[in-house]
Amino acid sequence: MAHETPEDRPSGMRAGATAPAKCILLGEHAVVYGMPCLSVALDMRTAVAAERSTSATTVNGHPLESRYHSYLMQVLDRVWKDPSALRLTTRSGIPSSSGMGSSAALSVAAAATLYDLQAGASDAEVAQAAFESERATQGGGSPNDTSVATAGGAILLAPERRTDAGLEHLWSVTLDDRAWEVHRARLPKLALVIGVTGVRSDTGEQVAKVRRFVERSRFGEETMEAVGTLVWEGLDALRTEDLATFGNIMGRCQTALHTMGVNHPSLQRLIDAAHTVPGTYGAKLTGAGGGGSVVVLTLDPEGVAEAIGRAGGIPYVLEPSTEGVRHTAGEEATEAEVQR
Ligand code: MEV
């Protein structure tokens, strides 16, 4: 690596962690305004590894720079309390700026890795640090994505602790005087198709756009409240395996997201393509919108994947992943496979 000499090579302990992608089923954007949000982790992961270094901190052999490593810098600021420099490696299997939570997975895997190099931390502490780091980088937002990447499986975020609807409370994430309660949701097995538009989307920009919509009139707040009601109805529909009702609710959330201003022609093309396939229950954008990805619930994942491909998207047929953050010795992010 161009920026390192053999003397820079560290000795000693190496730590690492991986964290999964996520897909928001219902409730993106409204979750920023205290509404519930239902998400699942996906079977794609980002890996981080770290060891102490005797020279300046590097990422994949390059100097740490805010232009390239803004998320890692925020995590380091919060979690790394040791004076030593670090040699960090990262490897992402999650498409970036695609609504699939690549920055959340990176923040979670990095926080877990850095805690493991020190005294260790609970999942709740990892989720809190990753949220604060992501929020500082994006300039707003909720702990939804970092909570899903930490906990894995299906997660429902709500403003209050719930024990109904089959929910199990995991932890709270706080910011100033606000709290988000993170719950494990039990969902039936789902076959999801994610369609990536290839149009890169900046979460911070989309969150800021929706903030202007909410602040403009009471209608903005009402739209968020309507999405909140749909999330609870959707959770009930999924628990009773009423996929037709759930698909209809996905469509109603998509209409609300369009009203908020975060739909995009590239997303609409993939949603329309999915609806041409018999057996499709519902389709909507997932994540921040403005580009990024759609999620489709269907009886025919292969048919929908083909239709999305024909419409210009990149399809992934994925099952939700039950595994959240995974602590490793760093073997998943080795120099041979790093990306900047
Ligand atoms: C982005 O994946 C989800 C948003 O609701 C933002 C957030 O919750 O931080 C749009």
Side-chain angles (χ1 to χ4, degrees):
M1 292 275 146
H3 299 278
E4 282 179 325
T5 64
E7 303 83 83
D8 296 332
R9 301 225 171 235
S11 59
M13 190 178 150
R14 181 173 166 85
T18 73
K22 66 89 184 59
C23 165
I24 298 180
L25 297 175
L26 301 172
E28 51 272 270
H29 286 294
V31 64
V32 178
Y33 301 91
M35 300 301 143
C37 186
L38 181 63
S39 313
V40 289
L42 296 174
D43 224 357
M44 286 175 162
R45 304 183 77 85
T46 285
V48 173
E51 51 198 336
R52 288 180 176 81
S53 160
T54 50
S55 61
T57 294
T58 58
V59 183
N60 301 332
H62 298 273
L64 182 71
E65 267 187 76
S66 55
R67 178 159 57 127
Y68 298 116
H69 309 123
S70 50
Y71 288 95
L72 285 176
M73 285 176 96
Q74 290 293 343
V75 175
L76 282 161
D77 269 2
R78 280 165 186 78
V79 176
W80 190 238
K81 304 296 177 202
D82 184 301
S84 325
L86 287 164
R87 184 161 169 264
L88 293 155
T89 48
T90 66
R91 177 172 56 90
S92 178
I94 306 172
S96 64
S97 305
S98 66
M100 295 168 80
S102 60
S103 62
L106 177 68
S107 304
V108 167
T113 299
L114 297 180
Y115 277 128
D116 284 354
L117 266 188
Q118 303 170 92
S122 65
D123 282 359
E125 289 166 306
V126 168
Q128 178 74 37
F131 162 55
E132 289 174 13
S133 307
E134 224 204 2
R135 187 172 161 110
T137 316
Q138 292 177 351
S142 80
N144 185 69
D145 299 1
T146 39
S147 300
V148 182
T150 307
I155 288 297
L156 186 121
L157 238 74
E160 70 284 319
R161 278 183 191 220
R162 305 281 293 234
T163 48
D164 57 339
L167 297 171
E168 176 200 346
H169 184 258
L170 295 180
W171 59 69
S172 312
V173 182
T174 58
L175 179 77
D176 304 327
D177 56 352
R178 289 187 73 182
W180 286 265
E181 304 298 340
V182 181
H183 304 83
R184 161 88 49 237
R186 313 234 172 262
L187 303 185
K189 201 165 149 53
L190 299 173
L192 299 174
V193 185
I194 307 295
V196 179
T197 61
V199 175
R200 294 173 71 82
S201 150
D202 182 292
T203 300
E205 277 171 24
Q206 300 305 315
V207 168
K209 184 175 189 183
V210 172
R211 179 162 300 286
R212 292 193 290 278
F213 168 75
V214 173
E215 285 171 354
R216 207 173 303 141
S217 73
R218 174 79 192 116
F219 175 64
E221 282 169 39
E222 285 166 4
T223 306
M224 300 300 150
E225 286 159 13
V227 170
T229 304
L230 288 171
V231 174
W232 289 120
E233 288 174 12
L235 178 63
D236 278 347
L238 270 190
R239 289 180 64 227
T240 53
E241 303 201 22
D242 182 353
L243 300 188
T245 298
F246 188 79
N248 178 279
I249 290 171
M250 288 173 81
R252 290 161 67 194
C253 278
Q254 172 62 21
T255 304
L257 289 159
H258 184 92
T259 306
M260 291 176 209
V262 294
N263 199 11
H264 187 273
S266 63
L267 292 164
Q268 195 59 51
R269 245 191 320 278
L270 302 193
I271 290 169
D272 292 345
H275 279 297
T276 63
V277 179
T280 292
Y281 293 114
K284 60 179 274 295
L285 71 82
T286 180
S293 300
V294 301
V295 55
V296 185
L297 182 65
T298 177
L299 275 176
D300 181 5
E302 297 308 327
V304 168
E306 271 172 37
I308 283 179
R310 279 196 303 275
I314 304 162
Y316 295 90
V317 178
L318 293 167
E319 293 219 342
S321 160
T322 51
E323 196 178 26
V325 64
R326 182 197 301 153
H327 300 261
T328 69
E331 68 274 13
E332 268 104 342
T334 61
E335 264 198 54
E337 1 174 53
V338 296
Q339 299 172 353
R340 184 150 179 158

